Amino acid sequence: MTETGAGRDNKGQAWAARLSRNRWLLGASVLAVLAVYFFAGVSVYVLVLALAALAAAAMLPTDAGRQPADAGAAIEASGLQRLSGEYLAAAVADPLIIFDHSATIVHANAAAFAAFGGLAPGMSLSLKFRAPEMQALLDGILSGQVAADAVDYTEKLPVERTYRVSASTVGHATGLYVLVFKDQSETRRIDRMRADFIANASHELRTPLASIAGFIETLRGPARNDAAARDQFLQIMQNQTGRMARLIDDLLSLSRWEMKPYLGPGTEVDLRQTIDSVIDSLGPLAGENGVIIEREFANGPLVVPGDRDELFQVFENLLENACKYGQSGGRVTVSIAGSEDGQQPGFDVTIRDYGPGIAEEHIPRITERFYRVDVESSRTQKGTGLGLSIVKHILTRHNARLSIKSEVGKGAAFTVHLPAR
Amino acid sequence: MQSVHIVSAYDEELKYLSKRIAAMGGHAERMVEQAVAALVNVDHGLAQKVIQDDLVLDEGQREIDDKAIIIIARRQPMATDLREIVGAIRISADIERVGDLGKNVAKRVASVDGRQPNSLFRGIEALANLALTQLKEVLDVYASRSVERIGLVRDRDDQIDAMYTSLFRELLTYMMEDPRNITPCTHLLFCAKNIERIGDHATNIAETIYYIVTGEQMPADRPKGDKTDKIVLPGTVPAK
Ligand SMILES: Nc1ncnc2c1ncn2[C@@H]1O[C@H](COP(=O)(O)OP(=O)(O)O)[C@@H](O)[C@H]1O
Ligand SMILES: [Mg+2]
């Protein structure tokens, strides 16, 4: 059930592995404890003892530990009091939702809120999880046909994620049930990466490979003794291998962003600092292209929830495009401003160039993989056609939006709307 | 006066309606997803499955209609409840149409051989992602009743129109390049149109939800529509 990788032979790791193998049991038992907290009145020490006992039980070899019903009963019998059920649910790292006989949400932990937008206590689970397999899971458990069940559930949008979802009753006759979502996206990622690679890379890599093969043939045959041609061909071959390497890098980073689970809650990004360092890192490219980068940052703190490395890549890709494709404009402006626009207060980061711009019909499409307005200019600029797809994926994970405005001949403006918390 | 017992049975009936709507919605979302996957991967088996699955939605809509009429007749609901029930009838009709559109896409898989340029399939996939996101957001609003989120749904409508217009143009270009492309590209064009229509039904559902929750019609905002009637490719004469 969990990824017990090879080479875990030292003691601590073995325990950790066992713990993780038994985490379902642990989760179920913790929930039993939780139910007791809700429905009986007991003291905190007993709870601490019970939890310690659970942890110990989870450390036992798997077979000995597989007695969920007994463990639950024992704890319930001793009774508990004044424990925050929310703390317990919060201690479970996987999304966890407790619901009642009518599939109404009673409690959802922070991981569940982070994973599934728009959850609220009182909401009906069967309205929120509409996929046929989830409906069947909920119907089965609520009708009392089974006490516990599990299905694989894939959410395609906004970001593809696959879960092993298990549902079970909580304690004895509490009228409560629990869903726990174990994220399996990482495990699926390898499969997906292989499929993606075949679908995208094989096609894109074929052209540079064919050209390298052609030059090798020429170098061994007609150009064997032509020093000038040899140098020129080797240069072209080097460009081609560079291109292949960039393509592989971009594909891997796209797969990584696509398959990474939702953002962990709590991390924050200082936009001012992040964007300053993006501008610094692209200084040489801008200089080479004769582009001046201007800043227009709003005053005050410019902080949003998010992952710094990911947002760094977003602004780097956008600014790089502006310097490359908007080169003829001679300058690029980067602005950060507060946005009160509509329902989502936050910050707008706009990267504007004064180059040729993008024709209207291409704008909706340029975030698609490998979509290039002009294949030749993308190639000479060392592009892969993946930069904006990476941007889009990262922004989706951040609940952010990208809007593109352009007038042909006057330049292009890419605006990222980042919601504040 | 109704007894407490009867009122709660009535609540159960209303809950049942919305639960069936959600299940139909989930089914339709899955059908569209699989229809597009079948098209992009030229998977005839999956296409057949989608075509079969459409029966479930037809059945679902009939059931909701029947149940809703029985509730209206027996309970004579007022105001909010009546809107809820009439809304259910309307939403299930829109979902059933979404299923039909998914089925239509699946039916065309047989006529597309997958030899068309990759970028077309990626474009159709991207269009479908927009439409499915819109549908998901709308059905999520049905679950949460947070109608203030409906504005976002409308933004998507514009994006879908823009994407459709761009695909339309690309398809026309391929047809003009080589007459042999005309047949498969026409099928793809219909697929794109079907997917774009799914977005329209999602918007209808959003309007119905707004009405259920607020009792008012959703304020109209701007003229709808794609711009494909104005597209003229270089070298062609605009139709008069
Ligand atoms: N600022 C810009 N001005 C004009 N065209 C742009 C701009 N940014 C992106 N593009 C167009 O969008 C395409 C896709 O960009 P991207 O995904 O970053 O891929 P790449 O730069 O690797 O080609 C580019 O090939 C280019 O045609
Ligand atoms: Mg780029």
Side-chain angles (χ1 to χ4, degrees), chain A residues 83-115:
Chain A
L83 165 82
S84 163
E86 282 173 34
Y87 287 158
L88 271 179
V92 179
D94 295 324
L96 175 154
I97 301 173
I98 298 169
F99 57 102
D100 68 10
H101 65 93
S102 64
T104 304
I105 299 177
V106 174
H107 179 78
N109 68 0
F113 279 106

PDB file of all heavy atoms in Angstrom, chain A residues 83-115:
ATOM      1  N   LEU A  83     -10.632  16.003  24.502  1.00  0.00           N
ATOM      2  CA  LEU A  83      -9.570  16.038  23.515  1.00  0.00           C
ATOM      3  C   LEU A  83     -10.137  16.742  22.293  1.00  0.00           C
ATOM      4  O   LEU A  83     -11.284  16.530  21.942  1.00  0.00           O
ATOM      5  CB  LEU A  83      -9.184  14.620  23.130  1.00  0.00           C
ATOM      6  CG  LEU A  83      -8.359  14.617  21.867  1.00  0.00           C
ATOM      7  CD1 LEU A  83      -6.929  14.913  22.202  1.00  0.00           C
ATOM      8  CD2 LEU A  83      -8.509  13.323  21.156  1.00  0.00           C
ATOM      9  N   SER A  84      -9.342  17.557  21.653  1.00  0.00           N
ATOM     10  CA  SER A  84      -9.862  18.194  20.461  1.00  0.00           C
ATOM     11  C   SER A  84      -9.844  17.214  19.299  1.00  0.00           C
ATOM     12  O   SER A  84      -8.791  16.771  18.852  1.00  0.00           O
ATOM     13  CB  SER A  84      -9.031  19.420  20.099  1.00  0.00           C
ATOM     14  OG  SER A  84      -9.335  19.745  18.761  1.00  0.00           O
ATOM     15  N   GLY A  85     -11.017  16.868  18.836  1.00  0.00           N
ATOM     16  CA  GLY A  85     -11.125  15.983  17.683  1.00  0.00           C
ATOM     17  C   GLY A  85     -10.460  16.604  16.479  1.00  0.00           C
ATOM     18  O   GLY A  85      -9.855  15.926  15.651  1.00  0.00           O
ATOM     19  N   GLU A  86     -10.534  17.927  16.413  1.00  0.00           N
ATOM     20  CA  GLU A  86      -9.930  18.608  15.273  1.00  0.00           C
ATOM     21  C   GLU A  86      -8.423  18.424  15.247  1.00  0.00           C
ATOM     22  O   GLU A  86      -7.823  18.235  14.197  1.00  0.00           O
ATOM     23  CB  GLU A  86     -10.250  20.097  15.323  1.00  0.00           C
ATOM     24  CG  GLU A  86     -11.654  20.372  14.850  1.00  0.00           C
ATOM     25  CD  GLU A  86     -12.035  21.811  15.056  1.00  0.00           C
ATOM     26  OE1 GLU A  86     -11.145  22.671  14.928  1.00  0.00           O
ATOM     27  OE2 GLU A  86     -13.216  22.053  15.362  1.00  0.00           O
ATOM     28  N   TYR A  87      -7.802  18.472  16.442  1.00  0.00           N
ATOM     29  CA  TYR A  87      -6.351  18.280  16.478  1.00  0.00           C
ATOM     30  C   TYR A  87      -5.990  16.910  15.948  1.00  0.00           C
ATOM     31  O   TYR A  87      -5.024  16.744  15.213  1.00  0.00           O
ATOM     32  CB  TYR A  87      -5.816  18.432  17.902  1.00  0.00           C
ATOM     33  CG  TYR A  87      -5.820  19.864  18.375  1.00  0.00           C
ATOM     34  CD1 TYR A  87      -5.823  20.170  19.731  1.00  0.00           C
ATOM     35  CD2 TYR A  87      -5.818  20.906  17.455  1.00  0.00           C
ATOM     36  CE1 TYR A  87      -5.828  21.478  20.166  1.00  0.00           C
ATOM     37  CE2 TYR A  87      -5.829  22.210  17.881  1.00  0.00           C
ATOM     38  CZ  TYR A  87      -5.833  22.498  19.243  1.00  0.00           C
ATOM     39  OH  TYR A  87      -5.838  23.787  19.662  1.00  0.00           O
ATOM     40  N   LEU A  88      -6.791  15.946  16.357  1.00  0.00           N
ATOM     41  CA  LEU A  88      -6.500  14.583  15.900  1.00  0.00           C
ATOM     42  C   LEU A  88      -6.635  14.480  14.388  1.00  0.00           C
ATOM     43  O   LEU A  88      -5.772  13.931  13.712  1.00  0.00           O
ATOM     44  CB  LEU A  88      -7.450  13.608  16.566  1.00  0.00           C
ATOM     45  CG  LEU A  88      -6.955  13.080  17.902  1.00  0.00           C
ATOM     46  CD1 LEU A  88      -7.989  12.147  18.497  1.00  0.00           C
ATOM     47  CD2 LEU A  88      -5.638  12.351  17.718  1.00  0.00           C
ATOM     48  N   ALA A  89      -7.731  15.015  13.887  1.00  0.00           N
ATOM     49  CA  ALA A  89      -7.930  14.949  12.436  1.00  0.00           C
ATOM     50  C   ALA A  89      -6.811  15.707  11.733  1.00  0.00           C
ATOM     51  O   ALA A  89      -6.300  15.282  10.696  1.00  0.00           O
ATOM     52  CB  ALA A  89      -9.288  15.530  12.061  1.00  0.00           C
ATOM     53  N   ALA A  90      -6.401  16.830  12.339  1.00  0.00           N
ATOM     54  CA  ALA A  90      -5.348  17.635  11.722  1.00  0.00           C
ATOM     55  C   ALA A  90      -4.027  16.890  11.730  1.00  0.00           C
ATOM     56  O   ALA A  90      -3.177  17.113  10.873  1.00  0.00           O
ATOM     57  CB  ALA A  90      -5.220  18.967  12.450  1.00  0.00           C
ATOM     58  N   ALA A  91      -3.856  15.980  12.716  1.00  0.00           N
ATOM     59  CA  ALA A  91      -2.595  15.244  12.810  1.00  0.00           C
ATOM     60  C   ALA A  91      -2.463  14.220  11.694  1.00  0.00           C
ATOM     61  O   ALA A  91      -1.377  13.721  11.435  1.00  0.00           O
ATOM     62  CB  ALA A  91      -2.497  14.556  14.170  1.00  0.00           C
ATOM     63  N   VAL A  92      -3.570  13.894  11.047  1.00  0.00           N
ATOM     64  CA  VAL A  92      -3.499  12.960   9.922  1.00  0.00           C
ATOM     65  C   VAL A  92      -3.091  13.765   8.688  1.00  0.00           C
ATOM     66  O   VAL A  92      -3.734  14.752   8.348  1.00  0.00           O
ATOM     67  CB  VAL A  92      -4.868  12.280   9.689  1.00  0.00           C
ATOM     68  CG1 VAL A  92      -4.798  11.326   8.512  1.00  0.00           C
ATOM     69  CG2 VAL A  92      -5.305  11.550  10.943  1.00  0.00           C
ATOM     70  N   ALA A  93      -1.998  13.338   8.045  1.00  0.00           N
ATOM     71  CA  ALA A  93      -1.458  14.150   6.958  1.00  0.00           C
ATOM     72  C   ALA A  93      -2.300  14.056   5.687  1.00  0.00           C
ATOM     73  O   ALA A  93      -2.301  14.965   4.871  1.00  0.00           O
ATOM     74  CB  ALA A  93      -0.027  13.735   6.662  1.00  0.00           C
ATOM     75  N   ASP A  94      -3.018  12.960   5.516  1.00  0.00           N
ATOM     76  CA  ASP A  94      -3.834  12.804   4.316  1.00  0.00           C
ATOM     77  C   ASP A  94      -5.169  13.524   4.494  1.00  0.00           C
ATOM     78  O   ASP A  94      -5.652  13.663   5.615  1.00  0.00           O
ATOM     79  CB  ASP A  94      -4.107  11.316   4.067  1.00  0.00           C
ATOM     80  CG  ASP A  94      -2.834  10.550   3.763  1.00  0.00           C
ATOM     81  OD1 ASP A  94      -1.952  11.131   3.096  1.00  0.00           O
ATOM     82  OD2 ASP A  94      -2.713   9.399   4.194  1.00  0.00           O
ATOM     83  N   PRO A  95      -5.770  13.949   3.382  1.00  0.00           N
ATOM     84  CA  PRO A  95      -7.103  14.550   3.484  1.00  0.00           C
ATOM     85  C   PRO A  95      -8.070  13.572   4.159  1.00  0.00           C
ATOM     86  O   PRO A  95      -8.077  12.382   3.829  1.00  0.00           O
ATOM     87  CB  PRO A  95      -7.500  14.781   2.030  1.00  0.00           C
ATOM     88  CG  PRO A  95      -6.212  14.878   1.290  1.00  0.00           C
ATOM     89  CD  PRO A  95      -5.254  13.979   1.999  1.00  0.00           C
ATOM     90  N   LEU A  96      -8.842  14.097   5.109  1.00  0.00           N
ATOM     91  CA  LEU A  96      -9.732  13.240   5.882  1.00  0.00           C
ATOM     92  C   LEU A  96     -11.046  13.985   6.083  1.00  0.00           C
ATOM     93  O   LEU A  96     -11.060  15.159   6.431  1.00  0.00           O
ATOM     94  CB  LEU A  96      -9.040  12.946   7.210  1.00  0.00           C
ATOM     95  CG  LEU A  96      -9.757  12.168   8.296  1.00  0.00           C
ATOM     96  CD1 LEU A  96      -8.726  11.485   9.164  1.00  0.00           C
ATOM     97  CD2 LEU A  96     -10.614  13.081   9.152  1.00  0.00           C
ATOM     98  N   ILE A  97     -12.141  13.300   5.840  1.00  0.00           N
ATOM     99  CA  ILE A  97     -13.456  13.939   5.971  1.00  0.00           C
ATOM    100  C   ILE A  97     -14.362  13.037   6.797  1.00  0.00           C
ATOM    101  O   ILE A  97     -14.481  11.843   6.513  1.00  0.00           O
ATOM    102  CB  ILE A  97     -14.107  14.181   4.588  1.00  0.00           C
ATOM    103  CG1 ILE A  97     -13.203  15.066   3.726  1.00  0.00           C
ATOM    104  CG2 ILE A  97     -15.477  14.817   4.750  1.00  0.00           C
ATOM    105  CD1 ILE A  97     -13.682  15.226   2.299  1.00  0.00           C
ATOM    106  N   ILE A  98     -14.960  13.611   7.828  1.00  0.00           N
ATOM    107  CA  ILE A  98     -15.912  12.850   8.638  1.00  0.00           C
ATOM    108  C   ILE A  98     -17.311  13.292   8.230  1.00  0.00           C
ATOM    109  O   ILE A  98     -17.566  14.488   8.059  1.00  0.00           O
ATOM    110  CB  ILE A  98     -15.671  13.109  10.131  1.00  0.00           C
ATOM    111  CG1 ILE A  98     -14.262  12.639  10.494  1.00  0.00           C
ATOM    112  CG2 ILE A  98     -16.697  12.382  10.981  1.00  0.00           C
ATOM    113  CD1 ILE A  98     -13.819  13.084  11.851  1.00  0.00           C
ATOM    114  N   PHE A  99     -18.212  12.335   8.055  1.00  0.00           N
ATOM    115  CA  PHE A  99     -19.557  12.694   7.598  1.00  0.00           C
ATOM    116  C   PHE A  99     -20.594  11.832   8.290  1.00  0.00           C
ATOM    117  O   PHE A  99     -20.260  10.832   8.941  1.00  0.00           O
ATOM    118  CB  PHE A  99     -19.641  12.569   6.076  1.00  0.00           C
ATOM    119  CG  PHE A  99     -19.292  11.209   5.528  1.00  0.00           C
ATOM    120  CD1 PHE A  99     -20.295  10.330   5.128  1.00  0.00           C
ATOM    121  CD2 PHE A  99     -17.967  10.810   5.396  1.00  0.00           C
ATOM    122  CE1 PHE A  99     -19.982   9.075   4.613  1.00  0.00           C
ATOM    123  CE2 PHE A  99     -17.649   9.550   4.893  1.00  0.00           C
ATOM    124  CZ  PHE A  99     -18.652   8.694   4.502  1.00  0.00           C
ATOM    125  N   ASP A 100     -21.860  12.237   8.135  1.00  0.00           N
ATOM    126  CA  ASP A 100     -22.914  11.510   8.837  1.00  0.00           C
ATOM    127  C   ASP A 100     -23.716  10.640   7.871  1.00  0.00           C
ATOM    128  O   ASP A 100     -23.368  10.511   6.700  1.00  0.00           O
ATOM    129  CB  ASP A 100     -23.798  12.481   9.620  1.00  0.00           C
ATOM    130  CG  ASP A 100     -24.610  13.369   8.684  1.00  0.00           C
ATOM    131  OD1 ASP A 100     -24.631  13.101   7.451  1.00  0.00           O
ATOM    132  OD2 ASP A 100     -25.207  14.340   9.174  1.00  0.00           O
ATOM    133  N   HIS A 101     -24.810  10.063   8.390  1.00  0.00           N
ATOM    134  CA  HIS A 101     -25.571   9.078   7.611  1.00  0.00           C
ATOM    135  C   HIS A 101     -26.187   9.659   6.339  1.00  0.00           C
ATOM    136  O   HIS A 101     -26.546   8.926   5.430  1.00  0.00           O
ATOM    137  CB  HIS A 101     -26.682   8.500   8.485  1.00  0.00           C
ATOM    138  CG  HIS A 101     -27.687   9.540   8.864  1.00  0.00           C
ATOM    139  ND1 HIS A 101     -28.826   9.762   8.151  1.00  0.00           N
ATOM    140  CD2 HIS A 101     -27.678  10.481   9.848  1.00  0.00           C
ATOM    141  CE1 HIS A 101     -29.496  10.765   8.675  1.00  0.00           C
ATOM    142  NE2 HIS A 101     -28.811  11.224   9.713  1.00  0.00           N
ATOM    143  N   SER A 102     -26.335  11.016   6.285  1.00  0.00           N
ATOM    144  CA  SER A 102     -26.894  11.577   5.058  1.00  0.00           C
ATOM    145  C   SER A 102     -25.792  12.115   4.150  1.00  0.00           C
ATOM    146  O   SER A 102     -26.050  12.927   3.264  1.00  0.00           O
ATOM    147  CB  SER A 102     -27.878  12.697   5.408  1.00  0.00           C
ATOM    148  OG  SER A 102     -27.174  13.742   6.043  1.00  0.00           O
ATOM    149  N   ALA A 103     -24.546  11.668   4.391  1.00  0.00           N
ATOM    150  CA  ALA A 103     -23.388  12.090   3.596  1.00  0.00           C
ATOM    151  C   ALA A 103     -23.073  13.575   3.769  1.00  0.00           C
ATOM    152  O   ALA A 103     -22.416  14.178   2.926  1.00  0.00           O
ATOM    153  CB  ALA A 103     -23.549  11.751   2.116  1.00  0.00           C
ATOM    154  N   THR A 104     -23.539  14.165   4.848  1.00  0.00           N
ATOM    155  CA  THR A 104     -23.237  15.569   5.119  1.00  0.00           C
ATOM    156  C   THR A 104     -21.898  15.677   5.858  1.00  0.00           C
ATOM    157  O   THR A 104     -21.648  14.908   6.786  1.00  0.00           O
ATOM    158  CB  THR A 104     -24.353  16.186   5.987  1.00  0.00           C
ATOM    159  OG1 THR A 104     -25.581  16.002   5.307  1.00  0.00           O
ATOM    160  CG2 THR A 104     -24.105  17.666   6.219  1.00  0.00           C
ATOM    161  N   ILE A 105     -21.073  16.633   5.424  1.00  0.00           N
ATOM    162  CA  ILE A 105     -19.753  16.777   6.037  1.00  0.00           C
ATOM    163  C   ILE A 105     -19.886  17.290   7.472  1.00  0.00           C
ATOM    164  O   ILE A 105     -20.533  18.314   7.712  1.00  0.00           O
ATOM    165  CB  ILE A 105     -18.886  17.757   5.228  1.00  0.00           C
ATOM    166  CG1 ILE A 105     -18.675  17.229   3.806  1.00  0.00           C
ATOM    167  CG2 ILE A 105     -17.542  17.981   5.929  1.00  0.00           C
ATOM    168  CD1 ILE A 105     -17.892  18.169   2.902  1.00  0.00           C
ATOM    169  N   VAL A 106     -19.280  16.572   8.414  1.00  0.00           N
ATOM    170  CA  VAL A 106     -19.266  17.006   9.802  1.00  0.00           C
ATOM    171  C   VAL A 106     -17.949  17.728  10.099  1.00  0.00           C
ATOM    172  O   VAL A 106     -17.916  18.751  10.763  1.00  0.00           O
ATOM    173  CB  VAL A 106     -19.435  15.788  10.745  1.00  0.00           C
ATOM    174  CG1 VAL A 106     -19.270  16.213  12.195  1.00  0.00           C
ATOM    175  CG2 VAL A 106     -20.786  15.129  10.514  1.00  0.00           C
ATOM    176  N   HIS A 107     -16.872  17.163   9.575  1.00  0.00           N
ATOM    177  CA  HIS A 107     -15.577  17.794   9.771  1.00  0.00           C
ATOM    178  C   HIS A 107     -14.635  17.398   8.640  1.00  0.00           C
ATOM    179  O   HIS A 107     -14.690  16.278   8.153  1.00  0.00           O
ATOM    180  CB  HIS A 107     -14.973  17.358  11.114  1.00  0.00           C
ATOM    181  CG  HIS A 107     -13.625  17.966  11.372  1.00  0.00           C
ATOM    182  ND1 HIS A 107     -13.485  19.266  11.796  1.00  0.00           N
ATOM    183  CD2 HIS A 107     -12.375  17.465  11.233  1.00  0.00           C
ATOM    184  CE1 HIS A 107     -12.187  19.537  11.909  1.00  0.00           C
ATOM    185  NE2 HIS A 107     -11.504  18.460  11.579  1.00  0.00           N
ATOM    186  N   ALA A 108     -13.797  18.348   8.225  1.00  0.00           N
ATOM    187  CA  ALA A 108     -12.770  18.021   7.235  1.00  0.00           C
ATOM    188  C   ALA A 108     -11.470  18.614   7.754  1.00  0.00           C
ATOM    189  O   ALA A 108     -11.474  19.724   8.294  1.00  0.00           O
ATOM    190  CB  ALA A 108     -13.123  18.621   5.878  1.00  0.00           C
ATOM    191  N   ASN A 109     -10.362  17.878   7.642  1.00  0.00           N
ATOM    192  CA  ASN A 109      -9.105  18.430   8.158  1.00  0.00           C
ATOM    193  C   ASN A 109      -8.472  19.393   7.150  1.00  0.00           C
ATOM    194  O   ASN A 109      -8.949  19.549   6.016  1.00  0.00           O
ATOM    195  CB  ASN A 109      -8.141  17.305   8.576  1.00  0.00           C
ATOM    196  CG  ASN A 109      -7.627  16.506   7.392  1.00  0.00           C
ATOM    197  OD1 ASN A 109      -7.974  16.785   6.253  1.00  0.00           O
ATOM    198  ND2 ASN A 109      -6.789  15.517   7.665  1.00  0.00           N
ATOM    199  N   ALA A 110      -7.395  20.042   7.592  1.00  0.00           N
ATOM    200  CA  ALA A 110      -6.785  21.076   6.751  1.00  0.00           C
ATOM    201  C   ALA A 110      -6.320  20.495   5.421  1.00  0.00           C
ATOM    202  O   ALA A 110      -6.449  21.132   4.369  1.00  0.00           O
ATOM    203  CB  ALA A 110      -5.616  21.719   7.493  1.00  0.00           C
ATOM    204  N   ALA A 111      -5.810  19.272   5.458  1.00  0.00           N
ATOM    205  CA  ALA A 111      -5.327  18.659   4.215  1.00  0.00           C
ATOM    206  C   ALA A 111      -6.483  18.512   3.227  1.00  0.00           C
ATOM    207  O   ALA A 111      -6.303  18.688   2.021  1.00  0.00           O
ATOM    208  CB  ALA A 111      -4.689  17.303   4.512  1.00  0.00           C
ATOM    209  N   ALA A 112      -7.666  18.197   3.742  1.00  0.00           N
ATOM    210  CA  ALA A 112      -8.821  18.052   2.854  1.00  0.00           C
ATOM    211  C   ALA A 112      -9.207  19.399   2.245  1.00  0.00           C
ATOM    212  O   ALA A 112      -9.506  19.488   1.052  1.00  0.00           O
ATOM    213  CB  ALA A 112     -10.005  17.459   3.610  1.00  0.00           C
ATOM    214  N   PHE A 113      -9.155  20.457   3.063  1.00  0.00           N
ATOM    215  CA  PHE A 113      -9.476  21.783   2.523  1.00  0.00           C
ATOM    216  C   PHE A 113      -8.481  22.185   1.445  1.00  0.00           C
ATOM    217  O   PHE A 113      -8.838  22.761   0.431  1.00  0.00           O
ATOM    218  CB  PHE A 113      -9.487  22.837   3.633  1.00  0.00           C
ATOM    219  CG  PHE A 113     -10.762  22.845   4.409  1.00  0.00           C
ATOM    220  CD1 PHE A 113     -10.814  22.330   5.686  1.00  0.00           C
ATOM    221  CD2 PHE A 113     -11.922  23.354   3.843  1.00  0.00           C
ATOM    222  CE1 PHE A 113     -12.004  22.319   6.398  1.00  0.00           C
ATOM    223  CE2 PHE A 113     -13.119  23.347   4.543  1.00  0.00           C
ATOM    224  CZ  PHE A 113     -13.156  22.827   5.829  1.00  0.00           C
ATOM    225  N   ALA A 114      -7.205  21.863   1.700  1.00  0.00           N
ATOM    226  CA  ALA A 114      -6.182  22.236   0.728  1.00  0.00           C
ATOM    227  C   ALA A 114      -6.360  21.456  -0.566  1.00  0.00           C
ATOM    228  O   ALA A 114      -6.147  21.969  -1.661  1.00  0.00           O
ATOM    229  CB  ALA A 114      -4.793  21.991   1.309  1.00  0.00           C
ATOM    230  N   ALA A 115      -6.764  20.185  -0.444  1.00  0.00           N
ATOM    231  CA  ALA A 115      -6.827  19.336  -1.629  1.00  0.00           C
ATOM    232  C   ALA A 115      -8.081  19.599  -2.456  1.00  0.00           C
ATOM    233  O   ALA A 115      -8.038  19.559  -3.678  1.00  0.00           O
ATOM    234  CB  ALA A 115      -6.773  17.866  -1.223  1.00  0.00           C
TER     235      ALA A 115
END
